[in-house]
């Protein structure tokens, strides 16, 4: 029996990409890693790392956090995120959806503090991964996946 396809959640930034994956039943999201980007306008290594994850976890859909402004308006960061999403669809042949990511980093930091991670340097290393988890959980909840 073939393994059920999972959903990949990404918190895309100019320096890092936080990565999370759903379980096969779309009940939970687990943080996987943070991909460090070498250059904000070069994508080859970032896409190669995401491709490996997609193959390993049998990803059937990608959810990319969309950094809307506080007023809900799409700015320059949203344009860059959508361009990255289009590139992912083209290079990986996996559909990409977008999820409002306002406040996910703040919420992720709050959750990490509550969990005992009080050292700002420690939180900085994993906050993008935690934000990717929140993006994916929100998407699954909004779309009835859990």
């Amino acid at each position: 029996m073939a393994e059920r396809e999972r959903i990949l959640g990404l918190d895309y930034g100019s320096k890092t990409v936080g990565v999370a994956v759903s379980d096969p039943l779309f009940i939970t999201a687990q943080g996987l890693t943070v991909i460090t980007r070498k250059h904000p306008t070069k994508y080859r290594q970032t896409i190669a790392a995401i491709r490996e994850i997609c193959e390993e976890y049998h990803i059937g859909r990608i959810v990319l956090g969309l950094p809307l402004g506080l007023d809900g308006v799409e700015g320059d960061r949203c344009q860059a995120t959508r361009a990255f999403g289009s590139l992912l669809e083209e290079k990986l042949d996996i559909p990409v959806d977008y999820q409002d990511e306002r406040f996910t980093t703040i919420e992720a930091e709050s959750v990490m503090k509550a969990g005992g991670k009080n050292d700002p340097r420690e939180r900085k290393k994993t906050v993008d991964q935690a934000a990717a988890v929140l993006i994916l959980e929100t998407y699954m909840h909004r779309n009835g996946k859990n």
Side-chain angles (χ1 to χ4, degrees), residues 104 106 136 143:
T104 55
I106 294 166
L136 183 52
N143 291 285

Side-chain angles (χ1 to χ4, degrees), residues 2-146:
E3 185 172 340
R4 188 169 179 184
E5 291 186 331
R6 299 178 184 213
I7 303 171
L8 190 72
L10 300 177
D11 180 35
Y12 172 74
S14 60
K15 295 180 183 177
T16 61
V17 178
V19 182
V21 66
S22 73
D23 69 294
L25 299 176
F26 310 121
I27 296 170
T28 63
Q30 297 84 37
L32 286 183
T33 190
V34 174
I35 299 167
T36 301
R37 301 190 55 225
K38 304 287 185 208
H39 192 276
T41 60
K42 297 191 178 173
Y43 301 101
R44 190 175 44 113
Q45 291 178 328
T46 303
I47 290 176
I50 293 170
R51 179 189 316 274
E52 277 185 37
I53 292 167
C54 288
E55 289 170 358
E56 180 179 347
Y57 288 91
H58 307 282
I59 300 300
R61 177 166 307 278
I62 296 172
V63 177
L64 198 50
L66 194 61
L68 298 169
L70 293 178
D71 56 4
V73 173
E74 290 193 22
D76 293 343
R77 287 188 57 227
C78 285
Q79 290 175 0
T81 300
R82 287 191 183 278
F84 181 67
S86 294
L87 192 61
L88 286 174
E89 281 185 319
E90 175 189 323
K91 299 291 186 186
L92 304 179
D93 197 30
I94 296 173
V96 173
D97 287 339
Y98 298 91
Q99 175 61 49
D100 180 356
E101 71 165 22
R102 285 179 285 183
F103 310 114
T104 55
T105 301
I106 294 166
E107 186 178 345
E109 285 186 346
S110 177
V111 168
M112 292 167 68
K113 282 180 188 177
K117 286 196 177 182
N118 295 317
D119 183 350
R121 292 169 299 197
E122 265 314 297
R123 285 195 313 268
K124 185 175 176 147
K125 291 178 187 175
T126 57
V127 70
D128 295 323
Q129 178 180 316
V133 169
L134 293 171
I135 289 165
L136 183 52
E137 287 177 340
T138 302
Y139 175 85
M140 290 189 305
H141 180 72
R142 191 187 87 199
N143 291 285
K145 298 288 188 190
N146 62 358

